Amino acid sequence: MGSLAADSDALLHAAMVDGDALEYANLVGRLSNPRINPTEARQLLGAFAKRASVCREDLHADLLTAALHVRWVEDAGVAEAYAVLAQELIARSTAFVEPFIASIVDSFASSSQPLPDDVADVAHALLRSVLFTCPLGVRTLCELIHARFPHRRLQTAVHTHYLRHVLRVMSYEPYVQPILVPHIIQQLLAIDAEANVPAALPPPSQQPSALDDEVDDDDQVFRMDDMHDGWPPLPGGGGGGNGAPGLWPAVAGGQPPGGGGAAAMDPEVEKLDALLALVFDFWSRMFGGGAGAGAGGGAGMGGVRAPPVSAAGAGGAGGGKSHGNN
């Protein structure tokens, strides 16, 4: 019995070139298996890339769907094979641009686990290569990024993981900045509004009537006299009453009345702080004279080197735009 690579090549040849229906079903089933071995996935994707020229969307739709949804986000070797296949297919037809960009953006927005650094490097390199080959894919990218922004109530780690990758895209694709920055601001404002929800009013049955002349001052809905009770003073000797109870002690490092320790910060405030820190760090890197946007890689905001484009992909990239970091 030959090696796994030889077996994969033979399987792909039989399924796609010879038209063997049984081998085709076997191939689709193996690629669709969620527990596929990374080595097997890498070999099958590599063999598929070699025969991308004979791939037809009408005849091999099931195979394309299975290959597109292979779990490449957990292994750098599988991710590299996935990137090569993407380049070969996109070089043949721009119809593959959107599904592969969507697959990359979905990996940024995953709430199950963050991308490992080596896989993230491959993902960003593939994205740069796709946009170089098809510059019009920038519009699709921006629409997908906007649509995949995590819900404002998801955990902080999900938000920071997604925003970190979005800012990294903005560092090597400056054309998307005017489009994505308003979306980022909109997301931050939504979280800020969630972190400052006012206290609910009493039920209507418990609210005093405006026609009741005997309503005592202490029974008013908005009790202004309680606003100064027990509030910690501002730093520098300022009086109380200028902050929000439960929020100012956590921000200023003070303690609530009774000496019970520092008050817990609102989780939404912590989330907003974490996201703002990423945004400020990004702009500092871009314009503050620090590490250049095109330098570095890994988990930082810097750009990454695009993967080698195949001969077919290079031909399709000739009409693409030129990037300073490629």
Side-chain angles (χ1 to χ4, degrees):
M1 183 177 181
S3 65
L4 180 58
D7 291 342
S8 299
D9 286 337
L11 177 60
L12 265 294
H13 184 87
M16 301 183 67
V17 179
D18 297 339
D20 189 320
L22 291 178
E23 295 291 12
Y24 180 81
N26 178 29
L27 175 61
V28 173
R30 290 169 64 176
L31 280 174
S32 303
N33 184 2
R35 298 182 179 180
I36 186 173
N37 182 279
T39 302
E40 181 183 9
R42 184 169 63 252
Q43 296 295 344
L44 290 175
L45 291 175
F48 189 5
K50 295 178 182 178
R51 289 165 177 78
S53 59
V54 300
C55 180
R56 291 177 51 182
E57 297 178 54
D58 55 342
L59 295 179
H60 307 114
D62 294 338
L63 177 59
L64 288 168
T65 300
L68 185 66
H69 293 90
V70 165
R71 295 185 61 83
W72 58 271
V73 298
E74 300 174 355
D75 184 88
V78 178
E80 291 173 356
Y82 186 85
V84 173
L85 175 62
Q87 293 170 344
E88 294 292 341
L89 292 176
I90 290 173
R92 289 188 57 255
S93 172
T94 56
F96 295 106
V97 169
E98 181 173 355
F100 278 107
I101 291 181
S103 178
I104 297 171
V105 176
D106 286 342
S107 71
F108 300 160
S110 174
S111 58
S112 58
Q113 62 179 21
L115 282 179
D117 291 344
D118 52 353
V119 176
D121 289 343
V122 176
H124 283 279
L126 171 59
L127 183 57
R128 293 184 65 187
S129 178
V130 171
L131 296 178
F132 183 86
T133 303
C134 185
L136 294 180
V138 168
R139 179 176 180 179
T140 300
L141 172 65
C142 292
E143 292 175 350
L144 289 170
I145 287 178
H146 181 214
R148 301 296 198 276
F149 265 106
H151 190 275
R152 62 182 182 274
R153 294 186 180 177
L154 289 178
Q155 295 179 349
T156 301
V158 177
H159 282 270
T160 55
H161 179 259
Y162 188 73
L163 182 59
R164 184 177 290 109
H165 286 291
V166 171
L167 294 175
R168 185 169 175 180
V169 172
M170 289 169 54
S171 70
Y172 57 76
E173 285 293 336
Y175 307 96
V176 306
Q177 292 180 11
I179 303 174
L180 295 183
V181 167
H183 295 327
I184 294 174
I185 294 176
Q186 182 182 19
Q187 185 79 353
L188 295 175
L189 290 175
I191 296 174
D192 179 68
E194 191 76 12
N196 293 280
V197 177
L201 292 175
S205 60
Q206 299 181 13
Q207 296 184 18
S209 171
L211 302 178
D212 190 351
D213 296 334
E214 299 182 357
V215 174
D216 189 84
D217 290 340
D218 291 337
D219 295 329
Q220 295 294 333
V221 175
F222 303 103
R223 298 183 58 187
M224 304 302 292
D225 56 334
D226 290 342
M227 293 183 63
H228 304 280
D229 293 345
W231 286 22
L234 291 173
N242 293 327
L247 179 60
W248 174 256
V251 175
Q255 294 184 353
M265 183 181 291
D266 185 347
E268 297 302 314
V269 176
E270 292 182 329
K271 182 187 303 178
L272 185 62
D273 286 349
L275 295 176
L276 286 173
L278 288 176
V279 173
F280 294 155
D281 179 67
F282 169 75
W283 291 121
S284 175
R285 290 173 179 267
M286 291 291 291
F287 304 112
M301 300 300 175
V304 294
R305 180 171 55 85
V309 181
S310 64
K321 64 191 175 191
S322 176
H323 294 293
N325 292 335
N326 282 332

